[in-house]
Amino acid sequence: MNSPLKKQYDVVIVGGGPAGLAAALSARKSGAGDILIIEREVEAGGILNQCIHSGFGLHHFKEELTGPEYAERFIGSVLSENVTVLTNSYVIDISPALQVEIISGQCGYLSLQARAVVLAMGCRERTRGAIRTPGFRPAGVMTAGLAQKLVNMKGLLPGRRIAILGSGDIGLIMARRLALEGCDVVGVYEFSPYSSGLTRNVVQCLDDFDIPLHLSATVAFIHGRDRVDHLTIAPVINQSTPDLSRSWDVDCDTLLLSIGLIPENELSTKLRLHMDAATGGPQVSSTLETSLPGVFACGNVLHVHDIVDFVSEESLRAGQFAAELAMGKRRPGDNIALQKGANIASCVPHSLSPDREQVIYLRVKQPMKNCTLTLGDRYEKKFRMLIPAEMIRLTLAPEVLDHYFGDNLKIEVHPQEVE
């Protein structure tokens, strides 16, 4: 904590990861006075602190950085703006009047008044219980993110012969990381017929290290009494049922789970925010305000992003709008409802306003080649390839939206017509 706590803040931000840091910096630059970040870990930076690989910052800083380098730049900027950062602390409740209740390792129980709140708690990994993998419960089964923390921050190896279930980006990156540490990565097994990670990570983390990727395959049984000693792998029929008649065994001592990320939304559900079943996060307007007035959401707690640069971009907007509200400026309500159409899995935000440029993030349901994305009858964009793992980012000028004032705007993706 870099300054004494006050009883009232213009903007209180829950989470000191990349989203919370960007929101705080933007809130300050937008005129907010007293700003407080509440972070549960002992230092700010979030998941970036354990992501020592490069590849961050290409969009935001126009250069390639490691995760800690990216976090350090934002932390330095936030501290230079005299934003208060309260670490080792948890928000336990927020009232409709924006009274924030906190449990802090430094200060005990606190109750603070906020003029605006930004939710930036990030996301968490799905665990074995989420997919109910059958078998025993030996040591050696963990999420890829935990393995990343053990290797990069604790200097410990999770095992020597590693199998990875799921092809999420963290799992792909850890396949490479463990191979570099001398471990034998026996394979990555993905339930779907396509990778759930970015294409660049499949190439750089698996192909470049000759690590096999088995699509339409899953772990059918975990064997081992004290520690994992082998797995039964089975091909998947029609993306639904493992075919045990064609299963095979793989020797390993560790199973890493990279089976998806979900927004950290216990606080959001406690606040009874309107939620989006597709993203797992709150529904938000074009200003990133939730259904509870004065509460905004951004980053991975809103919807899981591919790259941290887009988290920062979105969170900068959330901080700006939260600061405006705290200073008594409320923008006109949205008047265009955004609707998912053919082949669209999710889209954020959930409504739009033609009074300014809008940014929309969306994902498709399945891989598609040579397709056209349309928004109503006024906008279309052609793509050679779209996959669920890679988020689509669209920027819409106000004149595109004027036509849909007070209407519904449907987003769809269709195969291109052959002339």
Side-chain angles (χ1 to χ4, degrees):
M1 187 170 61
N2 50 332
S3 62
L5 288 176
K6 301 182 179 181
K7 289 293 185 181
Q8 181 169 300
Y9 286 87
D10 291 332
V11 180
V12 171
I13 299 166
V14 187
L21 293 169
L25 187 60
S26 179
R28 171 69 81 220
K29 292 183 176 180
S30 298
D34 296 320
I35 303 171
L36 173 66
I37 296 176
I38 303 165
E39 167 58 39
R40 66 183 177 186
E41 298 293 339
V42 295
E43 59 185 21
I47 196 66
L48 290 174
N49 291 330
Q50 68 186 52
C51 299
I52 65 172
H53 55 279
S54 60
F56 302 91
L58 292 171
H59 293 270
H60 189 79
F61 291 112
K62 309 303 180 187
E63 60 179 301
E64 192 172 30
L65 305 170
T66 66
E69 287 172 335
Y70 190 98
E72 183 181 22
R73 293 200 180 186
F74 269 98
I75 293 171
S77 297
V78 164
L79 294 179
S80 69
E81 295 288 346
N82 293 320
V83 173
T84 302
V85 181
L86 181 63
T87 58
N88 194 27
S89 303
Y90 297 80
V91 173
I92 57 176
D93 201 9
I94 302 173
S95 74
L98 305 188
Q99 194 79 20
V100 182
E101 295 184 54
I102 305 165
I103 292 292
S104 169
Q106 302 175 54
C107 309
Y109 173 81
L110 300 167
S111 181
L112 308 173
Q113 179 64 51
R115 291 192 171 95
V117 172
V118 178
L119 303 180
M121 295 90 74
C123 61
R124 68 171 186 266
E125 296 174 281
R126 284 189 171 93
T127 62
R128 177 181 177 180
I131 57 173
R132 300 181 180 179
T133 304
F136 299 102
R137 297 179 62 85
V141 180
M142 68 188 74
T143 65
L146 175 57
Q148 185 181 59
K149 185 173 184 178
L150 289 175
V151 176
N152 293 346
M153 301 186 76
K154 304 295 184 181
L156 303 172
L157 287 179
R160 290 291 180 179
R161 187 169 170 84
I162 316 293
I164 301 175
L165 175 59
S167 59
D169 289 311
I170 302 176
L172 299 178
I173 290 167
M174 283 310 296
R176 175 181 63 185
R177 184 75 178 91
L178 290 167
L180 289 171
E181 289 293 336
C183 298
D184 182 9
V185 184
V186 299
V188 176
Y189 305 92
E190 170 56 52
F191 188 90
S192 299
Y194 49 84
S195 171
S196 58
L198 295 172
T199 301
R200 74 181 190 193
N201 284 333
V202 174
V203 173
Q204 295 173 3
C205 301
L206 300 187
D207 296 350
D208 290 355
F209 289 82
D210 295 323
I211 298 171
L213 171 61
H214 302 269
L215 299 174
S216 297
T218 190
V219 174
F221 203 91
I222 298 173
H223 302 268
R225 182 171 181 177
D226 296 324
R227 187 175 181 93
V228 176
D229 55 45
H230 72 282
L231 306 171
T232 297
I233 307 295
V236 176
I237 305 172
N238 298 325
Q239 300 188 50
S240 60
T241 307
D243 183 1
L244 298 179
S245 67
R246 295 190 291 142
S247 65
W248 70 95
D249 287 345
V250 173
D251 292 333
C252 63
D253 62 18
T254 303
L255 173 62
L256 303 188
L257 305 178
S258 183
I259 51 178
L261 302 169
I262 52 177
E264 189 76 69
N265 260 318
E266 283 77 11
L267 183 57
S268 304
T269 53
K270 187 174 183 179
L271 298 178
R272 298 185 178 180
L273 303 181
H274 295 169
M275 305 296 285
D276 182 343
T279 62
Q283 295 181 14
V284 293
S285 67
S286 64
T287 62
L288 302 173
E289 189 173 17
T290 68
S291 56
L292 181 59
V295 176
F296 298 77
C298 59
N300 287 343
V301 78
L302 177 58
H303 57 133
V304 176
H305 292 64
D306 305 332
I307 58 176
V308 72
D309 302 69
F310 288 169
V311 169
S312 298
E313 174 192 67
E314 181 177 82
S315 303
L316 289 170
R317 293 199 305 276
Q320 172 195 341
F321 295 130
E324 290 179 356
L325 183 67
M327 295 184 294
K329 178 184 177 182
R330 174 172 285 281
R331 291 176 178 262
D334 293 346
N335 44 47
I336 301 171
L338 200 56
Q339 295 185 335
K340 296 181 295 182
N343 300 314
I344 300 297
S346 65
C347 59
V348 175
H350 301 82
S351 60
L352 302 172
S353 174
D355 69 330
R356 63 191 180 281
E357 182 179 270
Q358 300 284 331
V359 178
I360 302 175
Y361 304 94
L362 58 114
R363 293 185 188 271
V364 293
K365 291 182 177 179
Q366 59 189 8
M368 298 184 69
K369 293 183 178 180
N370 300 320
C371 51
T372 302
L373 184 149
T374 61
L375 284 85
D377 57 3
R378 298 289 296 273
Y379 180 97
E380 71 173 37
K381 186 174 182 179
K382 299 184 184 300
F383 293 88
R384 292 181 60 187
M385 182 71 180
L386 293 175
I387 61 175
E390 297 187 11
M391 184 180 289
I392 306 165
R393 178 189 178 280
L394 299 177
T395 301
L396 301 180
E399 52 267 25
V400 173
L401 299 171
D402 280 336
H403 179 72
Y404 301 101
F405 188 92
D407 204 349
N408 296 328
L409 180 59
K410 183 177 289 188
I411 303 178
E412 300 183 302
V413 176
H414 297 282
Q416 294 177 17
E417 295 183 2
V418 178
E419 298 180 357

